[in-house]
Amino acid sequence: MRLTCTVNGTEQQVDDVWEGESLLYVLRERMGLPGSKNACEQGECGSCTVYLDGLPVCACLVAAGQAEGRAIGTVEGLTDGDTGQLHPVQQAFLDAGAVQCGFCTPGLLVATDDLVGRSLAEGRKPADAEIREALAGNLCRCTGYEKILDAVRLAADRMSEAGR
């Protein structure tokens, strides 16, 4: 099949896609977007978290055919495409030292962006319990969770101050 979808705001077409192929495989191997990581392939670790029509999903659990005509956002899409400037969530992870081996980081960045965006849209910053709940599906094998929580709080502070 030919898969047509919008990825990070740009329409993409990929030919010869098997409908059952995972969206993660299509993004990484066919579209050249390696940011989302392939770890468990069972939706357990969250390393492959992407947006699908604005909702975070594990790309390893989404069949390519399900992505037809839909909008996908990857970790690559968080960075400003024109300036290359990091998204506040990405910068907060760097500044807080929340990046260790980096394998879980792309999924955590997307999940954090979703959480902080939803919370700020409601006019508040996420509470610690909400942060832990929102990131419960993202496993860090380096166990750097305290720095990750610091990064989420820092991103929320910065995005709140900037009115994002």
Side-chain angles (χ1 to χ4, degrees), residues 5-30:
C5 56
T6 302
V7 180
N8 299 327
T10 303
E11 185 173 303
Q12 301 279 337
Q13 287 186 340
V14 181
D15 291 323
D16 300 324
V17 173
W18 173 57
E19 290 181 15
E21 213 168 78
S22 76
L23 175 60
L24 177 62
Y25 183 84
V26 172
L27 291 169
R28 289 181 54 84
E29 306 301 329
R30 296 179 180 268

mmCIF file of all heavy atoms in Angstrom, residues 5-30:
data_model
loop_
_atom_site.group_PDB
_atom_site.id
_atom_site.type_symbol
_atom_site.label_atom_id
_atom_site.label_comp_id
_atom_site.label_asym_id
_atom_site.label_seq_id
_atom_site.Cartn_x
_atom_site.Cartn_y
_atom_site.Cartn_z
ATOM 1 N N CYS A 5 0.503 10.330 4.972
ATOM 2 C CA CYS A 5 0.182 10.915 6.269
ATOM 3 C C CYS A 5 1.003 12.198 6.422
ATOM 4 O O CYS A 5 1.869 12.493 5.610
ATOM 5 C CB CYS A 5 0.496 9.937 7.402
ATOM 6 S SG CYS A 5 2.192 9.339 7.414
ATOM 7 N N THR A 6 0.691 12.937 7.448
ATOM 8 C CA THR A 6 1.429 14.161 7.725
ATOM 9 C C THR A 6 2.344 13.887 8.909
ATOM 10 O O THR A 6 1.874 13.463 9.966
ATOM 11 C CB THR A 6 0.469 15.316 8.048
ATOM 12 O OG1 THR A 6 -0.407 15.495 6.927
ATOM 13 C CG2 THR A 6 1.226 16.597 8.308
ATOM 14 N N VAL A 7 3.631 14.113 8.710
ATOM 15 C CA VAL A 7 4.597 13.874 9.773
ATOM 16 C C VAL A 7 5.293 15.187 10.097
ATOM 17 O O VAL A 7 5.901 15.812 9.220
ATOM 18 C CB VAL A 7 5.637 12.806 9.367
ATOM 19 C CG1 VAL A 7 6.647 12.575 10.491
ATOM 20 C CG2 VAL A 7 4.949 11.508 8.994
ATOM 21 N N ASN A 8 5.157 15.595 11.326
ATOM 22 C CA ASN A 8 5.760 16.854 11.789
ATOM 23 C C ASN A 8 5.378 18.032 10.885
ATOM 24 O O ASN A 8 6.201 18.885 10.563
ATOM 25 C CB ASN A 8 7.280 16.722 11.918
ATOM 26 C CG ASN A 8 7.661 15.666 12.916
ATOM 27 O OD1 ASN A 8 6.971 15.446 13.904
ATOM 28 N ND2 ASN A 8 8.780 14.986 12.669
ATOM 29 N N GLY A 9 4.136 18.023 10.438
ATOM 30 C CA GLY A 9 3.603 19.120 9.649
ATOM 31 C C GLY A 9 3.836 19.031 8.152
ATOM 32 O O GLY A 9 3.396 19.898 7.403
ATOM 33 N N THR A 10 4.511 17.989 7.694
ATOM 34 C CA THR A 10 4.801 17.831 6.273
ATOM 35 C C THR A 10 4.149 16.546 5.757
ATOM 36 O O THR A 10 4.328 15.479 6.345
ATOM 37 C CB THR A 10 6.326 17.752 6.028
ATOM 38 O OG1 THR A 10 6.933 18.927 6.559
ATOM 39 C CG2 THR A 10 6.646 17.612 4.552
ATOM 40 N N GLU A 11 3.426 16.664 4.628
ATOM 41 C CA GLU A 11 2.811 15.463 4.069
ATOM 42 C C GLU A 11 3.897 14.526 3.554
ATOM 43 O O GLU A 11 4.842 14.956 2.889
ATOM 44 C CB GLU A 11 1.855 15.817 2.932
ATOM 45 C CG GLU A 11 1.111 14.574 2.425
ATOM 46 C CD GLU A 11 0.032 14.886 1.412
ATOM 47 O OE1 GLU A 11 -0.857 15.676 1.746
ATOM 48 O OE2 GLU A 11 0.113 14.339 0.308
ATOM 49 N N GLN A 12 3.736 13.257 3.869
ATOM 50 C CA GLN A 12 4.704 12.230 3.468
ATOM 51 C C GLN A 12 3.959 11.110 2.742
ATOM 52 O O GLN A 12 2.818 10.796 3.093
ATOM 53 C CB GLN A 12 5.391 11.624 4.707
ATOM 54 C CG GLN A 12 6.127 12.596 5.571
ATOM 55 C CD GLN A 12 7.500 12.927 5.023
ATOM 56 O OE1 GLN A 12 8.086 12.167 4.258
ATOM 57 N NE2 GLN A 12 8.021 14.088 5.400
ATOM 58 N N GLN A 13 4.621 10.519 1.757
ATOM 59 C CA GLN A 13 4.091 9.340 1.092
ATOM 60 C C GLN A 13 5.187 8.287 1.060
ATOM 61 O O GLN A 13 6.342 8.600 0.732
ATOM 62 C CB GLN A 13 3.671 9.653 -0.347
ATOM 63 C CG GLN A 13 2.410 10.475 -0.434
ATOM 64 C CD GLN A 13 1.936 10.637 -1.864
ATOM 65 O OE1 GLN A 13 2.691 10.462 -2.810
ATOM 66 N NE2 GLN A 13 0.668 10.975 -2.017
ATOM 67 N N VAL A 14 4.796 7.086 1.412
ATOM 68 C CA VAL A 14 5.739 5.970 1.383
ATOM 69 C C VAL A 14 5.060 4.831 0.644
ATOM 70 O O VAL A 14 3.930 4.466 0.965
ATOM 71 C CB VAL A 14 6.123 5.519 2.813
ATOM 72 C CG1 VAL A 14 7.123 4.381 2.766
ATOM 73 C CG2 VAL A 14 6.665 6.691 3.621
ATOM 74 N N ASP A 15 5.756 4.255 -0.346
ATOM 75 C CA ASP A 15 5.208 3.159 -1.139
ATOM 76 C C ASP A 15 5.646 1.810 -0.593
ATOM 77 O O ASP A 15 6.635 1.702 0.140
ATOM 78 C CB ASP A 15 5.657 3.295 -2.598
ATOM 79 C CG ASP A 15 5.005 4.489 -3.283
ATOM 80 O OD1 ASP A 15 3.825 4.768 -2.994
ATOM 81 O OD2 ASP A 15 5.696 5.152 -4.087
ATOM 82 N N ASP A 16 4.906 0.786 -1.017
ATOM 83 C CA ASP A 16 5.214 -0.608 -0.685
ATOM 84 C C ASP A 16 5.231 -0.875 0.816
ATOM 85 O O ASP A 16 6.059 -1.638 1.318
ATOM 86 C CB ASP A 16 6.554 -1.020 -1.307
ATOM 87 C CG ASP A 16 6.542 -0.890 -2.817
ATOM 88 O OD1 ASP A 16 5.480 -1.172 -3.416
ATOM 89 O OD2 ASP A 16 7.573 -0.489 -3.383
ATOM 90 N N VAL A 17 4.322 -0.236 1.520
ATOM 91 C CA VAL A 17 4.202 -0.466 2.957
ATOM 92 C C VAL A 17 3.182 -1.570 3.181
ATOM 93 O O VAL A 17 2.097 -1.561 2.611
ATOM 94 C CB VAL A 17 3.748 0.830 3.683
ATOM 95 C CG1 VAL A 17 3.455 0.566 5.157
ATOM 96 C CG2 VAL A 17 4.807 1.913 3.529
ATOM 97 N N TRP A 18 3.542 -2.526 3.984
ATOM 98 C CA TRP A 18 2.595 -3.565 4.391
ATOM 99 C C TRP A 18 1.719 -2.963 5.478
ATOM 100 O O TRP A 18 2.234 -2.346 6.415
ATOM 101 C CB TRP A 18 3.367 -4.782 4.882
ATOM 102 C CG TRP A 18 2.501 -5.848 5.482
ATOM 103 C CD1 TRP A 18 1.455 -6.477 4.878
ATOM 104 C CD2 TRP A 18 2.595 -6.384 6.792
ATOM 105 N NE1 TRP A 18 0.895 -7.394 5.731
ATOM 106 C CE2 TRP A 18 1.585 -7.359 6.920
ATOM 107 C CE3 TRP A 18 3.437 -6.166 7.862
ATOM 108 C CZ2 TRP A 18 1.386 -8.092 8.069
ATOM 109 C CZ3 TRP A 18 3.243 -6.903 9.020
ATOM 110 C CH2 TRP A 18 2.234 -7.855 9.113
ATOM 111 N N GLU A 19 0.402 -3.124 5.360
ATOM 112 C CA GLU A 19 -0.519 -2.477 6.301
ATOM 113 C C GLU A 19 -0.246 -2.851 7.748
ATOM 114 O O GLU A 19 -0.515 -2.078 8.660
ATOM 115 C CB GLU A 19 -1.972 -2.825 5.954
ATOM 116 C CG GLU A 19 -2.440 -2.189 4.673
ATOM 117 C CD GLU A 19 -3.885 -2.522 4.350
ATOM 118 O OE1 GLU A 19 -4.608 -2.997 5.245
ATOM 119 O OE2 GLU A 19 -4.269 -2.301 3.202
ATOM 120 N N GLY A 20 0.284 -4.041 7.969
ATOM 121 C CA GLY A 20 0.548 -4.501 9.328
ATOM 122 C C GLY A 20 1.902 -4.101 9.877
ATOM 123 O O GLY A 20 2.201 -4.360 11.047
ATOM 124 N N GLU A 21 2.705 -3.496 9.045
ATOM 125 C CA GLU A 21 4.009 -3.017 9.495
ATOM 126 C C GLU A 21 3.797 -1.985 10.595
ATOM 127 O O GLU A 21 2.850 -1.207 10.533
ATOM 128 C CB GLU A 21 4.683 -2.342 8.285
ATOM 129 C CG GLU A 21 6.150 -2.438 8.193
ATOM 130 C CD GLU A 21 6.598 -1.972 6.797
ATOM 131 O OE1 GLU A 21 6.642 -0.756 6.577
ATOM 132 O OE2 GLU A 21 6.875 -2.836 5.954
ATOM 133 N N SER A 22 4.670 -1.914 11.562
ATOM 134 C CA SER A 22 4.446 -0.945 12.637
ATOM 135 C C SER A 22 4.762 0.469 12.157
ATOM 136 O O SER A 22 5.632 0.682 11.311
ATOM 137 C CB SER A 22 5.293 -1.279 13.863
ATOM 138 O OG SER A 22 6.638 -0.913 13.666
ATOM 139 N N LEU A 23 4.038 1.412 12.716
ATOM 140 C CA LEU A 23 4.315 2.819 12.419
ATOM 141 C C LEU A 23 5.746 3.151 12.808
ATOM 142 O O LEU A 23 6.423 3.910 12.114
ATOM 143 C CB LEU A 23 3.329 3.713 13.169
ATOM 144 C CG LEU A 23 3.562 5.218 13.062
ATOM 145 C CD1 LEU A 23 3.500 5.691 11.614
ATOM 146 C CD2 LEU A 23 2.544 5.966 13.920
ATOM 147 N N LEU A 24 6.222 2.560 13.887
ATOM 148 C CA LEU A 24 7.600 2.805 14.320
ATOM 149 C C LEU A 24 8.588 2.413 13.227
ATOM 150 O O LEU A 24 9.507 3.165 12.917
ATOM 151 C CB LEU A 24 7.905 2.022 15.606
ATOM 152 C CG LEU A 24 9.338 2.125 16.120
ATOM 153 C CD1 LEU A 24 9.683 3.565 16.470
ATOM 154 C CD2 LEU A 24 9.525 1.208 17.319
ATOM 155 N N TYR A 25 8.395 1.247 12.620
ATOM 156 C CA TYR A 25 9.285 0.796 11.553
ATOM 157 C C TYR A 25 9.231 1.755 10.374
ATOM 158 O O TYR A 25 10.266 2.120 9.805
ATOM 159 C CB TYR A 25 8.912 -0.628 11.104
ATOM 160 C CG TYR A 25 9.850 -1.177 10.061
ATOM 161 C CD1 TYR A 25 11.043 -1.787 10.424
ATOM 162 C CD2 TYR A 25 9.548 -1.064 8.703
ATOM 163 C CE1 TYR A 25 11.922 -2.272 9.470
ATOM 164 C CE2 TYR A 25 10.415 -1.541 7.738
ATOM 165 C CZ TYR A 25 11.597 -2.148 8.118
ATOM 166 O OH TYR A 25 12.464 -2.620 7.164
ATOM 167 N N VAL A 26 8.026 2.181 10.003
ATOM 168 C CA VAL A 26 7.872 3.092 8.871
ATOM 169 C C VAL A 26 8.596 4.405 9.153
ATOM 170 O O VAL A 26 9.321 4.921 8.297
ATOM 171 C CB VAL A 26 6.377 3.338 8.552
ATOM 172 C CG1 VAL A 26 6.206 4.437 7.510
ATOM 173 C CG2 VAL A 26 5.729 2.047 8.072
ATOM 174 N N LEU A 27 8.415 4.939 10.360
ATOM 175 C CA LEU A 27 9.070 6.208 10.691
ATOM 176 C C LEU A 27 10.587 6.070 10.657
ATOM 177 O O LEU A 27 11.282 6.893 10.057
ATOM 178 C CB LEU A 27 8.629 6.690 12.087
ATOM 179 C CG LEU A 27 7.178 7.148 12.215
ATOM 180 C CD1 LEU A 27 6.814 7.344 13.692
ATOM 181 C CD2 LEU A 27 6.951 8.442 11.431
ATOM 182 N N ARG A 28 11.091 5.030 11.286
ATOM 183 C CA ARG A 28 12.545 4.879 11.411
ATOM 184 C C ARG A 28 13.207 4.435 10.100
ATOM 185 O O ARG A 28 14.189 5.022 9.661
ATOM 186 C CB ARG A 28 12.886 3.861 12.509
ATOM 187 C CG ARG A 28 12.610 4.365 13.923
ATOM 188 C CD ARG A 28 13.012 3.304 14.957
ATOM 189 N NE ARG A 28 14.373 2.856 14.796
ATOM 190 C CZ ARG A 28 15.431 3.485 15.299
ATOM 191 N NH1 ARG A 28 15.271 4.580 15.997
ATOM 192 N NH2 ARG A 28 16.643 3.000 15.102
ATOM 193 N N GLU A 29 12.672 3.393 9.510
ATOM 194 C CA GLU A 29 13.356 2.747 8.384
ATOM 195 C C GLU A 29 12.944 3.275 7.018
ATOM 196 O O GLU A 29 13.713 3.216 6.078
ATOM 197 C CB GLU A 29 13.137 1.236 8.446
ATOM 198 C CG GLU A 29 13.534 0.604 9.768
ATOM 199 C CD GLU A 29 15.002 0.825 10.132
ATOM 200 O OE1 GLU A 29 15.858 0.917 9.228
ATOM 201 O OE2 GLU A 29 15.288 0.908 11.346
ATOM 202 N N ARG A 30 11.735 3.753 6.898
ATOM 203 C CA ARG A 30 11.283 4.199 5.573
ATOM 204 C C ARG A 30 11.271 5.712 5.429
ATOM 205 O O ARG A 30 11.381 6.220 4.326
ATOM 206 C CB ARG A 30 9.899 3.634 5.270
ATOM 207 C CG ARG A 30 9.887 2.111 5.170
ATOM 208 C CD ARG A 30 8.488 1.629 4.888
ATOM 209 N NE ARG A 30 8.411 0.198 4.779
ATOM 210 C CZ ARG A 30 8.524 -0.469 3.624
ATOM 211 N NH1 ARG A 30 8.710 0.166 2.509
ATOM 212 N NH2 ARG A 30 8.432 -1.784 3.607
#
